[in-house]
Amino acid sequence: MHPKVRKAVFPAAGLGTRFLPATKAQPKEMLPLVDKPLIQYGVEEAIQSSIQNIIIVTGRGKSSIEDHFDVNFEMEHLLESKKKKDLLKLVRDISDMIDVCYVRQKEALGLGHAVLRASELVGREPFAVVLSDDVIDAEIPCLRQLLDIHEFFGASVVALMEVPSEQISAYGVVDAEPVDHNGARDRLFRIRNMVEKPKAGEAPSNLAIIGRYILVPEIFDSINAIPPGAGGEIQLTDALKHLLRNRPIYGYKFEGKRYDAGDKLGFLKATVEFALRRNDLGGPFREYLKTLSL
Ligand code: G1P
C-alpha cells in the first residue's frame, strides 16, 4: 500500500496581474464565480476527493482568504436573529468545511518556490497541489481522478489537457508516451520531458499541464536543486523535470471541463456557464440572455 494523500497545497500568493484592476487590493482567489470565491471551488474539489488537510500559501494582502474560511460570529448572529436559516447554513458550512493551515510566501518567486514554502507542513508524504485559477467541472473531481492513478503507480501525477498551438506557450508542456491502463490508452501518459512556457513552435506536444498535481515529497529536494527558470521564477515544471531523472511521472488527460478563471475571458465563460446551471438563477438568466441581440 502506498501512503494516502491527506494534504493539498493551494498556492495563493501570486499578484494576479492578469486581472487588474480588480486584484489591486483583493486576492484573485476571492473573485466570485457567481457567488462563490474561486478558491472555494478548489477546496471543495479536494474535500470531495477525500483530502481534508488544506494548506494555503498566502502573501501580503491575502487576509480575506483567511477570513473567508474562518468563523464570522457577527454575521452568524445577524442571520440567526433574522431567522435566515439557509444563509446561516451557507456561512457556517464554509468554516466547518475544513481545518486550514496558512504559510506565507514573503516574495512571489514562482510556483515552485510557493510549493516549497509548504514543505514543513506537508512533511515527507505525498501531497496534492491545486491552482485555484483552474476551475474544473467534472463528474468525478479531477483531483480524485489523479489520486486513482497515484494510488495505482505510487508516483507523481499531473493533470493534462490538449491545448491549441497558438495558446501552448502559456503552459508547462510535456513530451509523453501513452500508457495502456485498464485497457485504455488515450488518457494516461508516462512523461519523458517537460518545458515551462515554450516559445511558439518549440513545444514538444499539444499536451499542457493544468493546475492539479499529486507529488511525491522528493519534489521538495528537486525544487531546492533548480535555478530560476522562465520569467526568472522558480518553476514547478523545472522541478518536475529534475525529479524525472530519478522518479517516474505520469500525466492524466482528465475527464471534465476546465476554465482558466485567472483570465478575464475564461472567467466570463465560467460565470455564464455556472450561472446557467444554477436552479435558482438558470431560468431567468437564460431568458435575459435571449433578449440580447448577439
Ligand atoms: C502555471 C504552471 C504551468 C501550468 C499552468 C496551468 O502557470 O507554471 O506549468 O501549465 O499553471 O494553469 P501560470 O498559469 O501560473 O503562469
Side-chain angles (χ1 to χ4, degrees):
M1 271 296 276
H2 307 297
K4 200 171 149 21
V5 174
R6 304 184 300 149
K7 301 174 181 174
V9 175
F10 286 70
L15 296 177
T17 48
R18 285 196 293 163
F19 231 114
L20 281 168
T23 47
K24 190 181 166 204
Q26 178 193 203
K28 69 172 170 181
E29 294 77 13
M30 290 303 292
L31 293 173
L33 270 187
V34 187
D35 54 7
K36 214 191 302 183
L38 287 183
I39 193 162
Q40 195 178 332
Y41 286 89
V43 167
E44 287 178 2
E45 182 184 326
I47 294 167
Q48 283 154 13
S49 306
S50 321
I51 293 179
Q52 250 105 38
N53 296 324
I54 304 295
I55 299 165
I56 302 181
V57 184
T58 66
R60 259 188 307 282
K62 301 280 186 169
S63 52
S64 58
I65 300 178
E66 297 178 34
D67 292 340
H68 182 69
F69 290 109
D70 202 354
V71 177
N72 185 337
F73 289 113
E74 226 177 321
M75 174 90 78
E76 289 190 15
H77 180 71
L78 182 84
L79 295 173
E80 216 159 3
S81 63
K82 298 204 164 186
K83 309 243 178 306
K84 304 223 174 207
K85 280 196 186 140
D86 290 354
L87 288 180
L88 181 63
K89 182 173 170 347
L90 214 65
V91 166
R92 276 207 180 130
D93 280 354
I94 302 166
S95 49
D96 285 351
M97 208 168 355
I98 36 157
D99 244 344
V100 198
C101 294
Y102 297 92
V103 59
R104 293 278 278 218
Q105 183 187 17
K106 289 179 200 141
E107 288 174 281
L109 297 179
L111 180 58
H113 180 260
V115 171
L116 186 62
R117 294 292 299 136
S119 64
E120 289 288 320
L121 290 170
V122 169
R124 299 305 282 188
E125 58 180 273
F127 63 103
V129 173
V130 177
L131 308 187
S132 43
D133 280 10
D134 287 324
V135 175
I136 301 175
D137 183 46
E139 214 164 294
I140 301 172
C142 178
L143 218 46
R144 184 66 255 163
Q145 297 178 43
L146 301 192
L147 283 166
D148 288 344
I149 303 296
H150 169 77
E151 282 164 17
F152 189 85
F153 292 99
S156 300
V157 189
V158 302
L160 295 178
M161 188 178 111
E162 280 172 24
V163 162
S165 53
E166 63 276 13
Q167 291 165 20
I168 200 82
S169 310
Y171 294 90
V173 185
V174 302
D175 171 26
E177 59 185 323
V179 176
D180 206 347
H181 180 59
N182 292 338
R185 271 179 73 83
D186 54 343
R187 294 208 174 266
L188 185 65
F189 295 82
R190 174 130 178 200
I191 293 175
R192 286 188 288 238
N193 198 0
M194 55 181 89
V195 45
E196 179 68 14
K197 306 210 166 59
K199 292 201 189 88
E202 289 178 14
S205 76
N206 64 346
L207 283 174
I209 302 174
I210 298 303
R212 300 289 183 280
Y213 310 75
I214 309 295
L215 301 173
V216 295
E218 288 75 14
I219 192 71
F220 295 127
D221 311 322
S222 291
I223 300 173
N224 268 321
I226 56 162
E233 297 186 342
I234 304 286
Q235 296 290 351
L236 184 58
T237 305
D238 294 344
L240 284 161
K241 185 175 167 171
H242 182 275
L243 184 71
L244 259 182
R245 296 183 197 169
N246 305 309
R247 307 269 163 168
I249 301 177
Y250 291 88
Y252 190 69
K253 237 165 64 177
F254 59 94
E255 286 177 66
K257 185 162 182 185
R258 171 257 186 180
Y259 300 87
D260 180 4
D263 166 76
K264 290 175 190 173
L265 184 59
F267 184 86
L268 285 171
K269 289 178 186 171
T271 302
V272 170
E273 290 187 38
F274 281 45
L276 284 173
R277 252 181 271 143
R278 284 272 293 254
N279 291 335
D280 53 343
L281 295 169
F285 187 46
R286 180 169 286 104
E287 289 312 310
Y288 166 70
L289 291 178
K290 280 189 201 154
T291 66
L292 300 177
S293 39
L294 296 171

